Amino acid sequence: GVTRLLLTRIPFFKEIIVSSFACHSCSWSNTEIQSAGRIQEQGVRYTLAVTSRQDMNREVVKTDCATARIPELDFEIPAFTQKGVLTTIEGIIDRAVAGLEQDQPVRRATDEEVASKIDEFICKLKQLKEVHSSFTFIIDDPSGNSFVENPHAPQKDDALVVTRYRRTPQQAAMLGLESDEKPADSAEDLRNEVLQFNTNCPECNAPANTNMKLVQIPHFKEVIIMATNCDSCGHRTNEASWKTTDPFLGGTIEPQGTRITLRITDPSDMTRDILKSETCSVEIPELEFELGMGALGGKFTTLEGLLKDIRDLVERNPFTLGDSSTPSKAEKLQEFIRKLHEVKGKAEAHFIMDDPAGNSYLQNAYAPEEDPELKVERYERTFEQNEDLGLNDMRTEGYESQGAAGR
């Protein structure tokens, strides 16, 4: 026979490999799919309310580790009992019917009662394809690589509910994600060791290694630094998160926000260490420049390194490149880059970091004495800032008693 492979991309989903086999001798054929990407960070569950014949034609990607269920019939296709497939909901039902009918002649010869019950169940499955009444179709995939089509994309589909969830240890073991490495005996061992784990490059998806290290920043706090270098495309990233009592959990939020103002007066200021969190905004008033919350992510670098990242971010703006560019925009961009270069030690300027979460840091060159060029202010967050951080909907006190009263 002949097997054909096709790498294709499903809109609003991801790349997959479609494998098609055909035998010219007996005319038998089948198709299978494999994910062309990595196992996702979270599992996914698709719950679809099937109410019409059009819903039966929705495309479905079902990996071999996914479970398909129809609660109304108490019907389930367990994980690893079928190979991955790119089909429709009707195709999944037809495949289940074919599997049940396959051994019916043997059952009728050995156990007529069981065979009759299976025939009755097969009739119920076939009736589902006519959609005389609505039913629920569920795909649960701990690898996160299954998919149910949304015909209204990019708009929301009211009939389809997509739920992301954290895998259980049993599901991780089923996917072969258990680590053979023994956990460190103590936090002190982690501080003295650089941990390395396999990952994929965020740019080209090639296999790469990520290094992780616990770092104690003097006069600040303990942070987790992660750095990824890709040998295939040369892409490099470094990220920082904040340590809590658990050495692998980050993202703590301080009681007050922090506003740090540095007056740049000397080229040596470019060597100051900076820890910029994802919630931190950056402002340079002399350049009329402001970098919003979330841009560039969390970074542990120097002031010169952060200014370089800002320059690269501005230069990659699609509205200043190609057909979108205009002479006036290009001139403004070059003028900004020239002024930004002057800030790096040639001209005085103010560098301001405003972090509502209080997790950003700028090195004090005179520590433990006060730095005359550095000003650190603590402030109470506004309602809007708490809303951006998700704190207004977070209730940590009194929820148990209120919940009991509601019941």
Side-chain angles (χ1 to χ4, degrees):
V2 177
T3 298
R4 293 179 174 86
L5 299 176
L6 173 65
L7 176 64
T8 184
R9 182 173 181 83
I10 297 178
F12 306 102
F13 184 49
K14 63 183 66 177
E15 291 181 339
I16 63 171
I17 299 174
V18 181
S19 171
S20 174
F21 175 81
C23 177
H24 299 294
S25 299
C26 65
S27 299
W28 186 79
S29 64
N30 77 329
T31 59
E32 299 176 7
I33 68 103
Q34 295 179 357
S35 174
R38 56 186 175 182
I39 294 177
Q40 304 304 305
E41 294 182 359
Q42 294 180 311
V44 66
R45 182 183 301 108
Y46 290 89
T47 304
L48 173 66
V50 181
T51 58
S52 65
R53 283 286 301 171
Q54 287 77 13
D55 289 333
M56 300 297 293
N57 295 326
R58 292 187 187 227
E59 287 189 345
V60 174
V61 174
K62 178 185 174 298
T63 66
D64 54 357
C65 59
T67 301
R69 293 198 303 270
I70 301 177
E72 286 78 1
L73 293 186
D74 198 17
F75 172 70
E76 177 176 312
I77 302 175
F80 298 106
T81 57
Q82 293 181 351
K83 292 187 177 181
V85 64
L86 170 61
T87 180
T88 62
I89 294 178
E90 184 175 5
I92 286 184
I93 294 177
D94 286 338
R95 198 176 186 189
V97 169
L100 291 173
E101 288 180 338
Q102 182 176 357
D103 295 329
Q104 278 297 86
V106 177
R107 294 191 189 98
R108 291 190 183 96
T110 57
D111 194 333
E112 183 67 28
E113 183 179 356
V114 173
S116 62
K117 289 183 179 179
I118 293 179
D119 283 334
E120 181 181 348
F121 189 79
I122 290 174
C123 290
K124 292 181 179 179
L125 282 176
K126 291 181 177 179
Q127 289 174 0
L128 286 181
K129 297 195 298 181
E130 302 301 325
V131 197
H132 295 306
S133 60
S134 62
F135 65 92
T136 306
F137 178 79
I138 301 173
I139 288 280
D140 192 334
D141 187 356
S143 74
N145 286 325
S146 289
F147 172 74
V148 176
E149 179 190 7
N150 173 7
H152 309 291
Q155 280 77 31
K156 182 181 178 181
D157 186 351
D158 294 332
L160 183 64
V161 178
V162 183
T163 307
R164 306 281 176 180
Y165 61 87
R166 188 182 300 273
R167 281 184 289 269
T168 64
Q170 293 78 12
Q171 289 173 326
M174 180 182 68
L175 297 174
L177 297 180
E178 278 189 326
S179 175
D180 295 330
E181 298 181 2
K182 295 182 179 180
D185 294 334
S186 65
E188 189 62 33
D189 295 332
L190 292 177
R191 294 186 184 94
N192 299 326
E193 182 180 359
V194 177
L195 302 178
Q196 187 178 84
F197 53 91
N198 298 326
T199 183
N200 289 71
C201 174
E203 290 292 326
C204 68
N205 205 38
N209 291 325
T210 295
N211 296 322
M212 183 175 72
K213 180 76 166 66
L214 282 175
V215 178
Q216 175 65 51
I217 298 180
H219 311 287
F220 187 54
K221 61 174 71 174
E222 197 166 40
V223 298
I224 302 171
I225 306 297
M226 290 188 290
T228 302
N229 293 334
C230 179
D231 296 331
S232 298
C233 68
H235 181 71
R236 301 172 62 188
T237 63
N238 72 82
E239 299 178 0
S241 60
W242 286 260
K243 179 182 177 295
T244 62
T245 53
D246 186 328
F248 289 101
L249 295 179
T252 58
I253 297 178
E254 297 296 317
Q256 293 180 311
T258 303
R259 181 181 175 88
I260 304 173
T261 303
L262 171 67
R263 190 163 66 95
I264 302 174
T265 58
D266 189 85
S268 62
D269 289 329
M270 294 293 107
T271 63
R272 292 179 185 245
D273 289 334
I274 281 184
L275 181 65
K276 175 195 169 297
S277 75
E278 293 184 353
T279 57
C280 179
S281 61
V282 174
E283 184 181 355
I284 305 177
E286 287 76 6
L287 302 185
E288 297 182 357
F289 173 78
E290 183 173 349
L291 185 72
M293 179 189 301
L296 293 178
K299 281 188 174 293
F300 181 52
T301 180
T302 61
L303 180 55
E304 183 177 13
L306 186 60
L307 292 178
K308 178 182 179 298
D309 291 335
I310 291 174
R311 184 194 67 192
D312 294 341
L313 180 66
V314 173
E315 288 180 337
R316 291 198 305 266
N317 189 331
F319 294 103
T320 62
L321 302 172
D323 295 339
S324 300
S325 177
T326 61
S328 60
K329 289 183 179 178
E331 290 176 3
K332 289 182 179 179
L333 176 63
Q334 294 301 322
E335 179 68 14
F336 173 79
I337 293 175
R338 183 185 63 80
K339 291 182 178 179
L340 188 63
H341 185 72
E342 290 179 353
V343 167
K344 297 165 71 171
K346 298 181 181 179
E348 291 191 5
H350 290 81
F351 182 82
I352 303 173
M353 302 172 63
D354 192 342
D355 187 356
N359 284 325
S360 293
Y361 163 82
L362 181 57
Q363 182 185 7
N364 177 0
Y366 298 88
E369 305 297 330
E370 290 188 4
D371 188 335
E373 310 299 341
L374 185 67
K375 182 180 180 182
V376 181
E377 303 173 83
R378 300 284 181 178
Y379 62 87
E380 297 294 331
R381 285 184 289 268
T382 64
F383 178 87
E384 290 75 14
Q385 289 174 324
N386 283 329
E387 187 73 17
D388 292 338
L389 296 175
L391 298 179
N392 292 334
D393 297 328
M394 190 181 298
R395 180 175 301 172
T396 60
E397 296 179 357
Y399 62 91
E400 293 180 342
S401 59
Q402 292 187 12
R407 291 194 299 269

